[in-house]
Structures are given as C-alpha cells and as structure tokens.
C-alpha cells in the first residue's frame, strides 16, 4: 500500500543520513590517527626527553596477592605496675638505665614528712614476641560470602543478621536458603553460608547488592570468604623502644592520683624523664592486659 511504501522511504532516508554521519566520523578518526602517527615519528627538538605523567595507581604484580599483617600484641600487667610510653625513645632508655626512681607524692617542706611521702619504683624494659616467619593455609568457602560495608545502625547484631538472612534467602535476590551466619566482631563484617552450590559465586560476581534495612536501601559489598589455619609460626623477641615497665608500686593512693603523680614525676627532665605520650596504671590486687599496636608515627 501507499502508506507502507511511504514509511519505507522515510526509513531509507534516515538510514542514509546515519550512514553518511558514520562515514564522516570514521574519516575524522582516521585523520586524527594519521596526525598522531606523524607526531610520534618526529624527533623532539634538541634531543630533549618528553615528560609523561601517568595518572592512576601502579603496583608490582608480585604484590597483588600478598597478605599484610598488623601486629596486635596483648601484654599482661600485674597489680602494682604501670606502663609508660614516652614520645622519644632516648628518654625511655634513660629511665630504664636509672633502674630505680623515687617518686614524690607531696611537696611538703618538712623533711620527715617528705620522706613519708615518697615511693620507690623499679623501671625495666618491655620485651614482647613478634612473628618473624608465618605460613597460613588459606581455603576459599565455595558456599560462603563475605558481606561488608554494613551501616552503623542502632540495632542489635541479631536483628541485623535476621534482616540479611531474610534478604539473601530469597531466590529473587539471587540467594537461597541460608545454612549459617556469623558476625565478625573484629572487622564488622558478616559471613553467610548457603545450603546450595553456585549461589555464592553468582552473588560474588555481582560485587555489590542493594539491601533494604528498615526504610533505607544500603549498597553492600559481596566478596569471597577466605578461612585459614596457621601452619608455621616463628617468633623472635623484640623490645619496645619508647615504653617502660614500672613495678613495685605500693597501694598508697587512689588510682587517679597515683597515675597523676607518676606522670608528673616522669615528665620532669630533672628526674631523667621527658614528654609522656601515655601512661597506664594497674593498682595492687588487680590485673589488666595492655594492647600494643604497630607504631606508624
């Protein structure tokens, strides 16, 4: 019919215009390519080196699969002791070399009263064990995923796990029946394990999933879950360069006044001390655990 022929003629006209536009674009690209090749063949004037700036991140291929460990050492502290960390390592060394320190608890003018308001503490080094060699056997869970990027909401961990399990157990969301769930306290991530094969891989390939929690949708990251066991561990002693262990502290003051008295004493250069970074005191009859982290300062 005439209507059909008219429609076809119009379509041909549009196609012809599109073809001409594509040909013009191709010719423009060819001209730019020829100009670029011509410039590359030309030698820079005066044999100067041309500066090239690479934008982005570069890394060695060998470093891509390296596992970086951050030391986290727990050091037990008995009652009547303190750990004091100075800003400078040479101050800590000087305090250790003096061994015994007389700490004044008051500034009375009577010599007899002053003698009763003094205590003697022992200063010593802090030696810890650090790993010198470590081998870990890693295993990738075929049915498990690691969910990260969780929002900081005012709900309990169990409620959060219930909401994640409800979402990922539905087939329309790419999931299936959840076999187990675990909240990792040290990193704030969740491990979900499914009953069926292949579900974890499909979710991991998506990398990110929008999960409704309450009235808001959150973009959560989906990663493979790796578990491992230490197969070989070798330790070597290491000395803390800026931290000193004070021992033999009698229980003659409350915790806060004693901490203040120790800090005031060891901040004085005339007493062999210096600027104190942090001081932790454990009264007699109690115990504590000090945590040493990597010094990145």
């Amino acid at each position: 019919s005439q209507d059909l022929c008219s429609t076809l003629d119009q379509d041909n006209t549009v196609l012809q215009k599109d073809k001409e536009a594509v040909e013009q674009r191709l010719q423009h690209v060819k001209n730019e390519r020829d100009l670029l090749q011509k410039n590359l063949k030309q030698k820079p004037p005066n044999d100067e080196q041309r500066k090239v700036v690479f934008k982005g991140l570069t890394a060695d291929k060998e470093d891509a699969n390296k596992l970086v460990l951050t030391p986290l050492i727990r050091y037990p502290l008995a009652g009547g002791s303190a750990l004091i960390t100075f800003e400078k390592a040479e101050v800590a060394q000087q305090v250790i070399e003096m061994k015994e320190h007389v700490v004044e608890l008051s500034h009375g003018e009577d010599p007899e009263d002053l003698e009763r308001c003094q205590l003697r503490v022992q200063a010593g080094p802090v030696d810890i064990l650090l790993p010198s060699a470590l081998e870990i056997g890693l295993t990738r869970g075929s049915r498990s995923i690691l969910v990260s990027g969780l929002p900081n909401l005012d709900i309990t961990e169990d409620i959060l796990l219930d909401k994640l399990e409800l979402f990922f157990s539905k087939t329309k969301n790419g999931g299936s029946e959840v076999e187990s769930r675990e909240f990792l306290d040290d990193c704030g991530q969740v491990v979900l394990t499914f009953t069926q094969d292949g579900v974890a891989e499909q979710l991991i390939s998506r990398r990110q999933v929008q999960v409704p929690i309450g009235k808001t949708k959150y973009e959560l990251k989906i990663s493979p879950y790796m578990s491992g066991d230490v197969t070989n561990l070798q330790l070597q002693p290491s000395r803390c360069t800026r931290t000193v262990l004070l021992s033999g502290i009698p229980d003659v003051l409350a915790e806060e006044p004693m901490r203040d008295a120790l800090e005031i004493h060891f901040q004085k250069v005339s007493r062999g001390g210096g600027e104190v970074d942090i001081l932790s005191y454990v009264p007699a009859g109690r115990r504590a655990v000090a945590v040493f982290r990597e010094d990145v300062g």
Side-chain angles (χ1 to χ4, degrees):
S1 64
Q2 292 181 353
D3 291 340
L4 179 59
C5 292
S6 176
T7 301
L8 290 176
D9 290 341
Q10 292 177 3
D11 290 343
N12 289 333
T13 302
V14 172
L15 290 174
Q16 183 64 30
K17 290 182 178 179
D18 290 344
K19 179 182 177 182
E20 292 176 356
V22 171
E23 290 177 348
Q24 291 178 0
R25 180 59 183 167
L26 286 175
Q27 185 61 42
H28 180 69
V29 171
K30 289 179 181 179
N31 293 338
E32 288 186 344
R33 183 196 61 188
D34 294 340
L35 180 60
L36 178 60
Q37 290 178 345
K38 181 180 179 181
N39 290 335
L40 289 175
K41 291 179 181 179
Q42 292 179 351
K43 187 177 181 181
N46 301 326
D47 293 333
E48 293 180 353
Q49 296 280 343
R50 289 188 178 181
K51 294 182 179 180
V52 180
V53 178
F54 293 94
K55 295 184 178 180
L57 299 176
T58 59
D60 295 334
K61 185 178 180 181
E62 296 179 355
D63 295 336
N65 296 320
K66 283 187 177 180
L67 179 65
V68 179
L69 299 180
T70 302
L72 183 66
I73 308 299
R74 301 183 184 276
Y75 188 87
L77 278 178
S81 64
L83 283 178
I84 180 169
T85 300
F86 296 94
E87 289 189 355
K88 295 182 179 180
E90 52 266 28
V91 175
Q93 184 61 34
Q94 184 172 294
V95 169
I96 293 172
E97 290 176 354
M98 294 177 65
K99 294 184 179 180
E100 186 177 77
H101 296 262
V102 178
V103 180
E104 296 179 3
L105 302 183
S106 69
H107 300 282
E109 296 180 357
D110 187 350
E112 294 184 0
D113 181 59
L114 183 60
E115 183 67 23
R116 289 194 299 269
C117 295
Q118 292 178 341
L119 60 87
R120 297 179 181 273
V121 298
Q122 306 298 317
V126 177
D127 294 322
I128 57 178
L129 292 176
L130 291 178
S132 59
L134 177 64
E135 294 181 5
I136 301 178
L138 294 176
T139 304
R140 177 171 174 173
S142 60
R143 293 184 178 182
S144 300
I145 62 172
L146 184 68
V147 183
S148 57
L150 299 172
N152 188 13
L153 302 176
D154 190 19
I155 58 176
T156 64
E157 293 180 4
D158 288 337
I159 294 178
L160 178 59
L161 290 173
D162 288 341
K163 293 183 178 296
L164 291 176
E165 180 177 353
L166 180 63
F167 177 85
F168 285 101
S169 63
K170 296 179 180 180
T171 54
K172 68 177 183 179
N173 297 327
S176 72
E177 182 182 352
V178 176
E179 183 179 277
S180 64
R181 61 195 197 173
E182 180 183 2
F183 191 89
L184 304 179
D185 294 328
D186 56 345
C187 59
Q189 300 174 338
V190 170
V191 178
L192 296 178
T193 302
F194 300 97
T195 58
Q196 299 180 11
D197 294 328
V199 177
E201 289 296 333
Q202 291 180 2
L203 288 171
I204 292 170
S205 65
R206 295 170 62 178
R207 297 186 179 180
Q208 289 184 331
V209 177
Q210 280 194 346
V211 179
I213 303 177
K215 298 181 179 180
T216 307
K217 287 187 177 181
Y218 296 93
E219 194 83 17
L220 304 185
K221 182 180 179 181
I222 310 298
S223 308
Y225 173 64
M226 307 292 292
S227 60
D229 297 316
V230 177
T231 58
N232 182 29
L233 175 61
Q234 298 177 17
L235 301 173
Q236 67 177 10
S238 179
R239 176 159 296 182
C240 297
T241 58
R242 298 192 298 120
T243 303
V244 177
L245 174 64
L246 305 176
S247 58
I249 304 173
D251 189 15
V252 294
L253 281 181
E255 183 175 350
E256 188 172 348
M258 179 62 79
R259 186 187 300 110
D260 292 341
L262 292 171
E263 187 168 348
I264 290 172
H265 174 86
F266 285 100
Q267 277 186 338
K268 295 180 179 179
V269 178
S270 60
R271 301 286 185 177
E275 195 65 33
V276 175
D277 191 4
I278 189 172
L279 187 147
S280 300
Y281 164 62
V282 183
R286 293 168 55 183
R287 293 181 178 273
V289 176
V291 178
F292 286 87
R293 303 179 186 273
E294 184 180 12
D295 188 359
V296 295

